[in-house]
Amino acid sequence: MSVTDTGLPAATRAEYCVVACAEAWRGAGEILASPMGTVPAIGARLAKLTFSPDLLLTDGEALLMADVPAVGQRPGAVEGWLPFRQHLALTATGRRHVMMGASQLDRYGNQNISCIGDWARPTRQLLGVRGAPVNTLNNPTSYWVPKHSARVFVERVDMVSGVGYDRAAAAGPAATRYHRIPEVITNLGAFDFETPDRTMRLRSLHPGVTVEQVTEATGFALTVPDEVPFTREPTEAELRLIREVVDPKGLREREVPA
């Protein structure tokens, strides 16, 4: 195992993913972070402990946490109550940045978590549409995909759950007013939609990953800049927070194995 100059074991792929997820909430201010998945949950906690101290975090149920417990632990202090009805009202105001999962995602950011195959006779039934349309049309919605593959990143999703840039534009100003997909983070890199036609762009590669690996694992033509930087390295302080405070049990390594 390689080590840093300070003697700490070098950052793993999972820890680069944590930092990339945390960056999604940089400078977010006093909004609710709603991470879905182990690595995003660690990332949101890391962001609150470092560069985004005003973030609101929940325990995953109905409590607003006043401290930052380790993932899977109950908060030691509570600052508020956010039952489901109030959570939905908050979602509609735009004061929330959710990082959802995706069973399928296309080049415009349309997301599917509902079914695989034809909607009338699907081959696989998934979660259902859930709150994805309200999320994507009312507050920033990013995505976390722990295993980047052409089965997830497809030319056309089988059913639209979360609304992408093309469908929002087709629906008109009522749909585009608050629609924004800031980030897509995977085990291979970080992506955004900062292109003229609002299609997915490779923004950074996690160390050890090549552009060829990413394009081969993507089922559509991805915008790739001439020079693609690497995802930033976690600082020594961030590594200590991840390993000792937020995720001492190493759950991140199960979601993104070395």
Side-chain angles (χ1 to χ4, degrees):
M1 177 183 291
S2 60
V3 298
T4 66
D5 293 338
T6 60
L8 284 175
T12 65
R13 177 73 61 81
E15 289 164 343
Y16 276 98
C17 291
V18 166
V19 167
C21 288
E23 287 288 345
W25 287 286
R26 181 180 285 273
E30 193 175 359
I31 67 166
L32 179 66
S34 293
M36 300 181 185
T38 300
V39 165
I42 299 168
R45 284 166 167 77
L46 179 64
K48 183 173 177 64
L49 287 170
T50 54
F51 45 73
S52 294
D54 294 331
L55 275 183
L56 300 177
L57 298 175
T58 77
D59 65 345
E61 295 180 12
L63 299 178
L64 288 171
M65 302 189 298
D67 59 359
V68 183
V71 171
Q73 298 298 311
R74 302 293 294 176
V78 174
E79 65 179 351
W81 185 51
L82 191 67
F84 192 58
R85 179 182 298 176
Q86 276 72 26
H87 200 137
L88 290 177
L90 183 68
T91 299
T93 67
R95 293 177 294 168
R96 177 176 181 253
H97 183 167
V98 58
M99 185 172 285
M100 299 181 68
S103 301
Q104 292 180 328
L105 203 65
D106 70 19
R107 69 175 73 234
Y108 292 100
N110 294 292
Q111 171 236 36
N112 175 23
I113 52 171
S114 185
C115 64
I116 301 299
D118 184 79
W119 181 83
R121 295 184 64 85
T123 58
R124 292 288 186 276
Q125 178 66 55
L126 306 175
L127 289 173
V129 174
R130 310 290 287 188
V134 175
N135 287 338
T136 48
L137 294 184
N138 288 280
N139 49 230
T141 302
S142 294
Y143 294 106
W144 160 243
V145 178
K147 189 174 182 179
H148 191 128
S149 76
R151 293 181 64 182
V152 177
F153 291 92
V154 296
E155 185 67 39
R156 183 182 178 88
V157 297
D158 291 339
M159 179 177 177
V160 176
S161 303
V163 179
Y165 279 101
D166 60 337
R167 289 180 175 269
T176 59
R177 185 177 181 185
Y178 300 114
H179 177 267
R180 187 163 71 91
I181 308 173
E183 313 266 356
V184 176
I185 308 298
T186 80
N187 63 315
L188 299 184
F191 306 80
D192 61 26
F193 297 87
E194 299 301 317
T195 56
D197 58 354
R198 289 297 196 175
T199 54
M200 191 179 293
R201 176 185 72 162
L202 174 60
R203 195 181 67 207
S204 73
L205 293 165
H206 301 327
V209 179
T210 66
V211 170
E212 289 71 26
Q213 283 178 292
V214 173
T215 55
E216 288 175 5
T218 306
F220 52 80
L222 188 67
T223 297
V224 180
D226 292 336
E227 295 186 11
V228 182
F230 285 113
T231 303
R232 80 163 177 87
E233 186 176 0
T235 66
E236 179 185 346
E238 287 172 333
L239 284 177
R240 291 190 185 280
L241 286 171
I242 292 169
R243 295 168 181 178
E244 299 173 12
V245 177
V246 182
D247 185 29
K249 294 184 179 180
L251 300 177
R252 61 196 179 279
E253 305 297 337
R254 300 181 192 176
E255 193 164 49
V256 183

